[in-house]
Structures are given as structure tokens and as C-alpha cells.
Amino acid sequence: MSLLEIKNLCLSFGDIEILRDIDLTIEAGEAVGLVGESGSGKSITSLAAMRLLPPSAKLTGEILFDGRDLLALGENDMCRLRGRDMAMIFQEPMTALNPVKSIGDQIAEGLRFHLGISRRAAEDKVLRLLDEVGLPPARFSPHRYPHELSGGQRQRVVIAIAIAMNPKLLIADEPTTALDVTTQAVILDLLRELAAEHDSALLLITHDLAVVAQMVDRIAVMKDGEIVERGKTLEFFRDMQHPYSKKLLAASKVKPKTVSEIKPSDKPLMAVKDLTRQYRLPRQNLFAPSRYLKAVNDVSFQIEAGESVGLVGESGCGKSTLARTLLALNKPTTGKIEFLGDDLFRLSRHALLEKRRNMQVVFQDPYGSFNPRHKVGRLVAEPLQLVKNISKLGRNERVAEALMHVGLKAEDADKYPHEFSGGQRQRIAIARAIITRPKLIVADEPVSALDVSIREQVLDLLNELSVEQGLAYLFISHDLHVVRAVTDRVLVMYQGQIVEHGATASVFDDPQHEYTKKLLAATPDLQATLQRLEKERV
């Protein structure tokens, strides 16, 4: 008997059919990958298995877990199963965490509820879990709140919550989307070890074929609410049958960018000089001296008009802090930032607003950057308040044009953010960034939540905008394949400092710093994984 059996599962909301005749089984100790584009039904299939759908959802079919019919269980029985026997790593960590509770309390909550252990025992277990997922308590106190962590660090907290009780079934919905490659390697190893040690099953939902190839025993491909192809991992990649599977594979092979001939000038678009940004740390006791963390430490670089510069490094190395400082959202401790010839921190408030028309941003967490009560049209149009003398008709035309540029429809302007998948919300964020036709976009993980086919479209779009409009980018990403596809130069950041920089191809082909070599070695490689599987089979 399989640990999880989904038979003839159909799901609809009113007259809208979402899932059709889903059949999926997972054995104890087996890892199964569920891949497909954003909106194909992957996440809602997992939510159905966890019984986390809204009351308006109409379900037919069977969901059996360890021989029990989940559709026949009441909510109290499901609460006893969730967390202890079956757990889920959600795609968007900021919306999965409670903003008013410390991360330690949130990890301990399930332990105390299911195991009935003391507060002290739960606290000890929390410290071990934080260390396991790469958040050593000496640096990341369990008393921190989610907003005090980066996106990748928050995702690690969500993973710690899910693995706390060694569940029989772990459903991982894009578990490493927000993680850098070195941390991703650690987390994937941890998930594999957990499955092997406790004979746990893993349902891995991802759009990264390189990750799924190295993690799972079988693969199922979803399209428009149906499973269109399935098979053992090596056989699946060796002999794909469905055109959609072949399309996903083709889109996952990111091509290196053709290097632009951009030379350093005396008047760059942006010049960063000796930039430092430090934070005061909490006192260890009332009489202890103040301690400071240099999140950005003496950083200097410049970006030319039309140039695309990549910024890579581990989660917590200072990338997002640097980005916020470049956008004048944080004030530097020392150093200066010149944009279009002016020092951003010597400008008046009015002059700074004028500059921001030419400098836009795509945030790492799209849902957290949207007002959920506003429709998409209003959200995308927000930056147009920086554009003078634009009519309501002109505003609507700009919104429609921006949405279509990122693969959405003009009529999507009348919907709310919650009506879209995570990947679709990221496309909305990119549309909002390009609507003022800026000269520089600071893109913080702009395609991390996108499936491979849409990622390819967005990367092509970013390259086209760079050529057509002379648009420059600071492209922050943990996906080194993506960085190679869109950047001319790359900066490697480690512990707040730039430890290596140069032309993207040169840094990737001949890295000099040990940390850069470590990043490249940890990057998943689909071809290398398939070759390893072939050798193991022989």
C-alpha cells in the first residue's frame, strides 16, 4: 500500500474546473517530483492533499494517506496529522510565517502541540533545527521576527518548521526558490537525509529541472490541471514523449548573454564609492558595549548606461541591504552613491522623487510588496505618479502594455493579487518596474519564482529592453545560470564585501576567489546529473 494515493481527483471552484482526474502515488521513502508551469495546478494539488483548500472548493475522488481517507476526516483529525505525519514547505515564506511571533516560537509551536514537551525542551530542539537549516543560533537568534531576516533566511525557517517532527510525508512547494546555491545544496542534502533516515516520502514541487533530476525517483508533469506525462527520472529525460515536457526542457537551458561592448566612462549612470552600511546589534546585557554588524563593508563599483551588472552571493551576505541603500531606502553609514551625476543623499526630497522615476525596483517577495486590497491595474500604475502630465487613458494604456510585455493579459488589470499564482505575481512586479521606462532597474531575485518557460520570456524581455531603451540593471540573483544569461559584468559578494568582479564569462569560466569557486560548484547542472545517473545505472 502506498503512503499517499490520489485517485481520480477533480477540483473546481463554482463552474471553473481546476484539476481533472489526477492520479498520483508516493511510496514510503520515495521522492516524487511534480513539475509544470505556474498555474498548472501543482500547488493546489498539494493543498488538496493537505486539506488546506477554502470551503468553496468542490472535491471529488480519493486522497488516501497511510490507508486513511483524508476527505472523510474532520478538521480536528487533520490538525493532528498536519505537522506530525505530513508537513508542507510553502512557496512564499513571508506569507507562511506569523509577522508578530518570533521565529523560535513559530518553530516550537508544532513541537509543543504534537509532542506535549516542555518549553525548555522545545527551545533546545529549536536551536538544533535552526543550526540544521543553516541559521546558527549564535548569529540568528530564535527571538528574531520574520521581518528581520532576508527572504532566503525566512525560507529556511519555514523548512525548519516542516521538518521539526520528521513527518512521514514532506510536501515541498518550491522549497529552495529563495535560497542561494550553497544553501540550496545544504537544504536538498538535508531533505534527502531526512527521507533516508526516517523512511519519509517527499513530494517535490519545482520548476527547476536540474534540482528535480538530482532529487527524485519519479517525475510527473502537469499542464492545465492534468498530469500529461510521468516516469522514472532517467527514463523521463532520456525519452520524453509529450511536447509540453520537451518545451520545459528546452526552456531550462539558459543561453549565455552576448556581451555588450560597454566601456567604463567618466560619467557612469551610477557610481558607488566606499559604501558602508552597519547596524547596531542588541546588547548582550545592560552594561555591555554596543556591537555593530557591517552588512555592507567598503563597497565600490559603477554601472554604465545600458549595462547589466550581476550581484551574487549567499543569503545574508549583504546583497539586499546594498540594494536598499542604492535605492536611497537606507542611508549609508559612510560613502556615497551618485546617480545621473548627483549624490542621492544630498538631494532634496522633491529632487529625490524626480530621480526615482529613472530608478525602479523588482522586490524578491512580490506578494509582500503589493497592497492586497488594490487591483492589479492600480498596483502596476503606482510608479506613474512620478510621471507628469499623463492622462487616465494614457495610464491605462501603459498598464496594458506593461502587463502584455511580461506575458499577462490586459484584462488582468481588473483582478486582485490573490487571484494569481506566485510566478504570475512576480510578473506583475516586473510590469510595475518597467512602466515608467526607467534608466536603471534594481532587480532582487526577479525570476526566482517563475517557471522555466516564463523565465525565458522575461529574460529575453529584459535583454530587449536593455537594447531598445538603453536600460541598465543591477541583477541580484542566486541562480548563476540566470546571471550568466543577462549580465555583462558580475560582482561576487561575501560577508558584506565584493571579493571578485569582472566580465561575467571570465568570472564564470576562470574564477579566482575560493568563494566564487564554491558557488559555481554548488550550482545544479542538469547534464552532469543525468550523466551521473547513467553511470550509476550501469
Side-chain angles (χ1 to χ4, degrees), residues 242-281:
H242 200 279
Y244 180 69
S245 302
K246 296 176 181 178
K247 175 187 171 185
L248 290 178
L249 179 62
S252 69
K253 299 175 181 177
V254 181
K255 300 176 183 177
K257 181 184 178 184
T258 303
V259 178
S260 306
E261 293 294 331
I262 298 175
K263 298 179 180 179
S265 66
D266 295 332
K267 294 183 178 181
L269 180 66
M270 173 174 279
V272 180
K273 301 178 182 178
D274 305 320
L275 189 70
T276 297
R277 178 71 167 103
Q278 66 181 22
Y279 297 95
R280 177 180 287 178
L281 297 173

Side-chain angles (χ1 to χ4, degrees), residues 434-486:
I434 66 175
I435 199 167
T436 61
R437 297 165 186 167
K439 296 185 182 298
L440 172 67
I441 288 181
V442 177
D444 189 357
E445 304 284 3
V447 296
S448 62
L450 302 183
D451 55 74
V452 289
S453 59
I454 297 300
R455 180 186 69 180
E456 183 182 39
Q457 294 173 23
V458 171
L459 294 179
D460 287 344
L461 170 64
L462 294 175
N463 280 329
E464 288 170 11
L465 290 172
S466 179
V467 173
E468 293 172 4
Q469 301 179 18
L471 183 60
Y473 302 102
L474 178 65
F475 200 95
I476 303 169
S477 180
H478 61 258
D479 190 330
L480 301 189
H481 295 301
V482 168
V483 170
R484 187 159 194 174
V486 296

Side-chain angles (χ1 to χ4, degrees), residues 345-363:
F345 296 96
R346 291 183 178 273
L347 296 175
S348 67
R349 183 175 180 275
H350 177 74
L352 183 58
L353 286 175
E354 286 290 321
K355 288 288 183 185
R356 284 203 167 121
R357 173 182 175 179
N358 289 304
M359 184 195 306
Q360 291 295 312
V361 59
V362 178
F363 293 102

Side-chain angles (χ1 to χ4, degrees), residues 213-231:
Q214 70 182 35
M215 283 291 294
V216 305
D217 305 300
R218 291 187 293 117
I219 294 175
V221 181
M222 286 196 76
K223 182 179 186 298
D224 298 332
E226 297 180 287
I227 293 179
V228 297
E229 187 167 2
R230 69 184 82 211

Side-chain angles (χ1 to χ4, degrees), residues 54-332:
S56 58
K58 181 182 178 182
L59 276 172
T60 61
E62 287 184 286
I63 304 175
L64 303 177
F65 176 73
D66 212 8
R68 302 178 69 182
D69 184 357
L70 297 188
L71 297 184
L73 295 183
E75 183 59 21
N76 288 338
D77 290 328
M78 284 303 306
C79 285
R80 283 188 281 270
L81 279 177
R82 296 191 199 107
R84 186 189 63 189
D85 295 317
M86 55 194 306
M88 185 167 179
I89 301 169
F90 293 94
Q91 184 175 358
E92 291 181 344
M94 195 58 180
T95 55
L97 295 173
N98 187 330
V100 299
K101 295 184 68 174
S102 71
I103 60 174
D105 284 345
Q106 294 187 66
I107 298 172
E109 184 177 20
L111 293 168
R112 300 198 68 194
F113 175 79
H114 289 292
L115 304 181
I117 60 178
S118 67
R119 179 179 292 274
R120 180 59 185 271
E123 288 174 351
D124 291 341
K125 176 69 172 176
V126 166
L127 296 179
R128 291 196 296 271
L129 285 165
L130 285 173
D131 198 48
E132 273 191 85
V133 297
L135 295 175
R139 184 179 172 193
F140 299 96
S141 167
H143 301 298
R144 285 196 188 189
Y145 289 85
H147 72 271
E148 298 179 278
L149 302 176
S150 71
Q153 291 161 357
R154 287 193 291 263
Q155 185 68 296
R156 284 183 253 182
V157 174
V158 173
I159 292 170
I161 293 171
I163 67 173
M165 280 160 289
N166 302 319
K168 294 179 182 178
L169 171 66
L170 182 62
I171 300 176
D173 189 359
E174 302 285 1
T176 59
T177 292
L179 302 182
D180 57 81
V181 290
T182 52
T183 304
Q184 174 178 266
V186 170
I187 294 299
L188 293 178
D189 285 343
L190 177 62
L191 294 178
R192 273 194 294 261
E193 289 169 9
L194 177 71
E197 183 178 349
H198 301 282
D199 203 28
S200 300
L202 174 67
L203 176 60
L204 178 64
I205 300 170
T206 182
H207 60 258
D208 192 329
L209 294 183
V211 167
V212 82
Q214 70 182 35
M215 283 291 294
V216 305
D217 305 300
R218 291 187 293 117
I219 294 175
V221 181
M222 286 196 76
K223 182 179 186 298
D224 298 332
E226 297 180 287
I227 293 179
V228 297
E229 187 167 2
R230 69 184 82 211
K232 292 183 178 180
T233 301
L234 185 57
E235 284 76 6
F236 171 81
F237 283 104
R238 182 191 288 165
D239 188 27
M240 288 183 180
Q241 298 297 315
H242 200 279
Y244 180 69
S245 302
K246 296 176 181 178
K247 175 187 171 185
L248 290 178
L249 179 62
S252 69
K253 299 175 181 177
V254 181
K255 300 176 183 177
K257 181 184 178 184
T258 303
V259 178
S260 306
E261 293 294 331
I262 298 175
K263 298 179 180 179
S265 66
D266 295 332
K267 294 183 178 181
L269 180 66
M270 173 174 279
V272 180
K273 301 178 182 178
D274 305 320
L275 189 70
T276 297
R277 178 71 167 103
Q278 66 181 22
Y279 297 95
R280 177 180 287 178
L281 297 173
R283 292 177 186 268
Q284 293 178 314
N285 60 65
L286 182 62
F287 303 103
S290 296
R291 299 178 302 139
Y292 294 89
L293 171 67
K294 283 189 177 180
V296 178
N297 187 6
D298 197 26
V299 166
S300 299
F301 64 92
Q302 64 186 43
I303 302 174
E304 304 293 337
E307 184 182 32
S308 182
V309 177
L311 180 63
V312 301
E314 291 179 340
S315 178
C317 72
K319 304 189 303 296
S320 294
T321 298
L322 175 59
R324 289 193 296 269
T325 309
L326 298 180
L327 293 162
L329 300 175
N330 284 346
K331 189 174 182 179

Side-chain angles (χ1 to χ4, degrees), residues 512-529:
Q512 301 300 307
H513 197 276
E514 288 303 314
Y515 178 68
T516 311
K517 295 176 183 178
K518 177 184 174 184
L519 284 179
L520 292 168
T523 303
D525 187 307
L526 178 58
Q527 286 304 120
T529 299

